[in-house]
Amino acid sequence: MAVAADVKLEGLRAATDKLDQISENEKSGFISLVSRYLSGEAEQIEWSKIQTPTDEVVVPYDTLSAAPEDLNETKKLLDKLVVLKLNGGLGTTMGCTGPKSVIEVRNGFTFLDLIVIQIESLNKKYGCNVPLLLMNSFNTHDDTQKIVEKYSNSDIEIHTFNQSQYPRIVTEDFLPLPSKGKTGKDGWYPPGHGDVFPSLNNSGKLDTLLAQGKEYVFVANSDNLGAIVDIKILNHLIHNQNEYCMEVTPKTLADVKGGTLISYEGRVQLLEIAQVPDEHVNEFKSIEKFKIFNTNNLWVNLKAIKRLVEAEALKMEIIPNPKEVDGVKVLQLETAAGAAIRFFEKAIGINVPRSRFLPVKATSDLLLVQSDLYTLVDGFVIRNPARTNPTNPSIELGPEFKKVANFLARFKSIPSIVELDTLKVSGDVWFGSGVTLKGKVTITAKSGKLEIPDGAVLENKSMCDESHIMTRPIARKGTERIILLNQFDDLIFHFILGLLAEWNYGVKPRDPRNGERSNSKQNGGEGAGELALEEEADDDDMRGGRSLPAAAARGSGGGGGGERWRRRRRWRRGERRAAWWWRRRWWDLTRSMAMVDFSSRREEGRVGGRSGGEEERWNGEDDVRPGPGQVGEVGAGGEVGRSVDTHRVAANGVDTEKTMVGLTWQVYQWFFFLRKDFFSSQNKINDTV
């Protein structure tokens, strides 16, 4: 077995020596990494030896000493610091080209813009000189060099260097892919951010920083908006001479696979899920036993890096990453910077607030940081204090939102999510402007396009296009529209109705149970059934013309002197008409506000119709459009009658010429005029009521 490994290594070494695209340092580092992989030297974790770190090993953030109040003392601390952002990733997973750090995050600013503004603000406030280092990969180097030119007038030094470039290994014969003619970018890979330490040294930047008197480097991912310079942490490390510090934060169910810090044989160590025996994986994922995880915000002493790199002592765990390039199976070996913690003296973790971990890995994260959950102050993303829940909402967006361009196109404006707990969106969903999401919301477009209207408020709703879209046609021939009902609609509609009832009609809201209810049982109920916007009907069914919403009723009771009213429809040729069915609570609320009791007297075994304004008779014309106060002959719950009777207003015992029908007609005309943008002509009503 060892002989076979040696043969593989020698063949790989010989082929690698012929590659002229990389430096001798890179060749040496690559062969050393592969040699360790083939030797199988990976350390096996003995589960029984794992111990939970104490507060001396993982220090609670709240126990750190406050930052110095004296500005000069703070300046001295910051002058020892350099910020290094890992900038090797591309934005391809979010549908973007070039470095991920140039994706616009908020208010037109990119990740890189915010990083520069933050450090520039720090330098200006304290009069210090904190430089910015960007570790690029060969994938991002050229674009980054062009981008940083726009910061030439900024009050900040920006330096760039490249991490190593290693050849991918062909699995079949264990030879470098570039040696087989694949000399383009597909033949190479960056070996993970664990390469930051040797690359910083090989680039010459480490010596330069040490010569400037810099002592610590703050390393973080460029897409972590919460990874900002913290003076309390820097002060603690300098005073306690800790060579290495990893920021950890409390684990949630979304972080169960993240690496965690453990105490192992007297040293602090990073435990990744790949190192966990199969029988202990569920235990590793438990947020009860392993309560913290690695944020990849690292603070490292520069002199310690120099010492360990030159001694070739940084032998972090190897992460095998199999890939396929143009049908060829390849292998790339990587390391992680967090795994280096066990090699440094007096290494610690600091349990920081969750606010220091705000990565943007997908458009669902972009929705969080672009919403009203955060504000932008001097380049710093600040959480909205109105959010009482300490954790951020859980957001899952379907593949339709995966690319940034598609994500932005599907939102007229980013919804308000301050009170949101969870959001799941799937299908062809589009959001209007001014939308508010609260509680637990699930939106599914099962078929076709689903538009969330402007100003919609969705709270604790699970909705789809079939079950949560109600039809509301305009009272006009040949018009078919739909509108999405939500709680905001109901609130506004009922509020307007209440104002009209109080102001325009002088009617005091009161309990409908106290109103007059003559003949309610005999005539098929109290008129509390569903109401409909009447369409043109047969002469046999409708003698008084087209009725209005509050008058066209089917009683919720039944029987008595009048038989239950039924309608037959005769659709005109080539024409589709729609009916409008209000929910029962609308009718109940309407009656409780206006207190109209549609009591009638029986006449010839039928319930008489009533007219509060001017009655319109059926005249056979193509379109009869009743106005306010007009009503056709409709019984309160029984069959439509031929004769006309009067109605009474129960509230205050006052008669009026203006019927509840007229009130309702005015209200919904006003309401739909104000909310006309809720309508969508995309969908048609296919089913008859």
Side-chain angles (χ1 to χ4, degrees), residues 166-242:
Y166 289 174
R168 284 174 165 150
I169 304 169
V170 179
T171 306
E172 184 180 6
D173 54 14
F174 219 73
L175 292 176
L177 186 59
S179 68
K180 297 178 175 292
K182 201 74 173 179
T183 56
K185 288 186 176 181
D186 286 345
W188 308 86
Y189 75 97
H193 47 62
D195 183 62
V196 63
F197 304 118
S199 292
L200 184 61
N201 182 64
N202 294 338
S203 67
K205 298 296 182 183
L206 181 56
D207 289 334
T208 301
L209 295 172
L210 289 171
Q212 293 175 353
K214 303 301 180 183
E215 295 183 16
Y216 279 86
V217 58
F218 173 45
V219 182
N221 295 336
S222 61
D223 62 4
N224 183 3
L225 296 175
I228 60 177
V229 172
D230 190 296
I231 300 173
K232 284 177 62 175
I233 295 177
L234 178 62
N235 182 53
H236 182 87
L237 299 179
I238 291 176
H239 280 81
N240 290 278
Q241 297 182 336
N242 301 110

Side-chain angles (χ1 to χ4, degrees), residues 14-138:
T16 302
D17 286 341
K18 298 177 181 178
L19 301 176
D20 55 6
Q21 296 96 326
I22 55 178
S23 67
E24 293 301 318
N25 284 333
E26 288 171 314
K27 292 177 182 179
S28 175
F30 171 65
I31 294 300
S32 175
L33 186 64
V34 175
S35 176
R36 289 202 298 123
Y37 171 72
L38 290 175
S39 68
E41 71 173 38
E43 181 181 349
Q44 298 297 316
I45 296 290
E46 292 187 34
W47 198 256
S48 60
K49 292 183 178 181
I50 293 177
Q51 294 181 336
T52 302
T54 63
D55 285 352
E56 287 73 28
V57 176
V58 178
V59 182
Y61 182 81
D62 293 339
T63 65
L64 299 181
S65 300
E69 295 183 2
D70 186 88
L71 293 183
N72 288 329
E73 290 299 316
T74 303
K75 177 183 181 300
K76 291 178 181 178
L77 291 175
L78 291 172
D79 279 337
K80 298 177 181 180
L81 180 68
V82 57
V83 175
L84 191 158
K85 295 291 183 176
L86 304 174
N87 190 51
L90 295 170
T92 51
T93 56
M94 296 172 70
C96 300
T97 57
K100 186 179 180 180
S101 59
V102 299
I103 294 176
E104 288 190 5
V105 181
R106 189 179 175 110
N107 299 352
F109 292 110
T110 66
F111 289 104
L112 196 52
D113 290 336
L114 296 181
I115 292 167
V116 171
I117 293 172
Q118 290 167 8
I119 300 177
E120 191 176 29
S121 175
L122 202 66
N123 287 339
K124 182 177 181 181
K125 181 178 180 179
Y126 295 103
C128 56
N129 179 26
V130 177
L132 171 65
L133 266 69
L134 299 175
M135 186 178 81
N136 305 320
S137 68
F138 60 87

Side-chain angles (χ1 to χ4, degrees), residues 322-381:
K323 298 274 187 177
E324 189 169 312
V325 178
D326 296 335
V328 179
K329 292 183 178 181
V330 298
L331 177 68
Q332 53 191 55
L333 305 176
E334 304 171 6
T335 59
I341 188 171
R342 63 191 178 99
F343 300 104
F344 289 84
E345 298 298 325
K346 302 182 70 173
I348 63 169
I350 295 182
N351 194 348
V352 299
R354 183 79 184 199
S355 59
R356 292 190 58 77
F357 182 68
L358 188 60
V360 179
K361 303 295 184 183
T363 51
S364 55
D365 302 319
L366 204 57
L367 175 58
L368 280 175
V369 299
Q370 290 188 353
S371 72
D372 58 349
L373 192 60
Y374 290 93
T375 55
L376 197 61
V377 180
D378 294 332
F380 298 94
V381 180

